[in-house]
């Protein structure tokens, strides 16, 4: 397996635009935990090995537990996640699998727990990691061993 094109070198302006979204997300009051859960879960769904590797390492450095990281793909069946995290994870799954649309129940559950600005930031965070996943998968980014 080898990396295909390097978008950051071939289209630096486009790449900088995506990086701008990432910088915006990092500047928001979204908690580190919420950002990490969104990034890991969307990357699991999309199958982006590069992003899974990067974001699980980042989450561990930020204090996330191995138990929660390992259980993330089965979060519904564990007691390890808060009500707020569950709403964010459900929204992450539905936005990532957008062809199935975001159910009213999923959106409303998140809207009940999060204020509108925080909810907007969660949605933008989900969208941003999905962009990165598509870049990583399409260009065959390989995690460092």
């Amino acid at each position: 397996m080898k990396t295909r094109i390097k978008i950051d070198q071939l289209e630096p302006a486009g790449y900088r635009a995506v990086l701008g979204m990432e910088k915006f997300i990092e500047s928001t009051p979204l908690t580190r935990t919420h950002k990490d859960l969104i990034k890991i879960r969307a990357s699991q769904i999309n199958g982006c090995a590069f992003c899974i590797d990067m974001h699980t390492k980042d989450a561990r450095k930020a204090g996330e537990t191995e138990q929660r990281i390992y259980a993330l793909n089965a979060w519904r069946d564990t007691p390890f996640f808060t009500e707020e995290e569950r709403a964010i994870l459900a929204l992450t799954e539905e936005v990532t699998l957008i062809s199935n649309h975001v159910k009213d129940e999923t959106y409303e559950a998140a809207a009940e727990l999060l204020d509108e600005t925080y909810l907007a930031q969660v949605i933008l965070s989900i969208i941003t990691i999905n962009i990165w996943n598509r870049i990583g998968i399409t260009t065959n980014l390989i995690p460092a061993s």
Side-chain angles (χ1 to χ4, degrees), residues 38 41-42 45 87-97 126:
I38 289 166
R41 187 65 192 120
I45 293 166
I88 289 169
L89 289 167
L91 191 59
T92 298
E93 291 179 354
E94 291 186 21
V95 172
T96 299
L97 300 167
I126 297 165

Side-chain angles (χ1 to χ4, degrees), residues 7-113:
I7 289 181
D8 60 329
Q9 294 171 11
L10 296 167
E11 283 296 342
Y15 189 84
R16 280 192 306 272
V18 178
L19 206 52
M21 284 291 294
E22 186 65 36
K23 287 179 181 176
F24 167 75
I25 296 304
E26 289 305 313
S27 77
T28 69
L30 286 178
T31 69
R32 176 87 263 142
T33 298
H34 290 165
K35 290 174 194 174
D36 289 339
L37 292 176
I38 289 166
K39 289 176 180 181
I40 296 167
R41 187 65 192 120
S43 298
Q44 288 174 331
I45 293 166
N46 288 323
C48 184
F50 183 85
C51 291
I52 292 169
D53 181 66
M54 176 193 310
H55 299 303
T56 55
K57 287 176 182 173
D58 290 346
R60 280 187 200 100
K61 285 179 191 169
E64 187 58 77
T65 66
E66 297 289 320
Q67 183 181 42
R68 283 171 36 108
I69 291 171
Y70 297 148
L72 194 50
N73 65 343
W75 63 268
R76 285 182 178 85
D77 301 320
T78 72
F80 309 144
F81 302 93
T82 68
E83 185 179 14
E84 200 172 70
E85 290 167 343
R86 290 174 176 281
I88 289 169
L89 289 167
L91 191 59
T92 298
E93 291 179 354
E94 291 186 21
V95 172
T96 299
L97 300 167
I98 199 71
S99 67
N100 297 324
H101 297 270
V102 175
K103 291 183 236 141
D104 288 339
E105 303 81 46
T106 303
Y107 179 85
E108 289 165 12
E112 284 179 26
L113 294 167

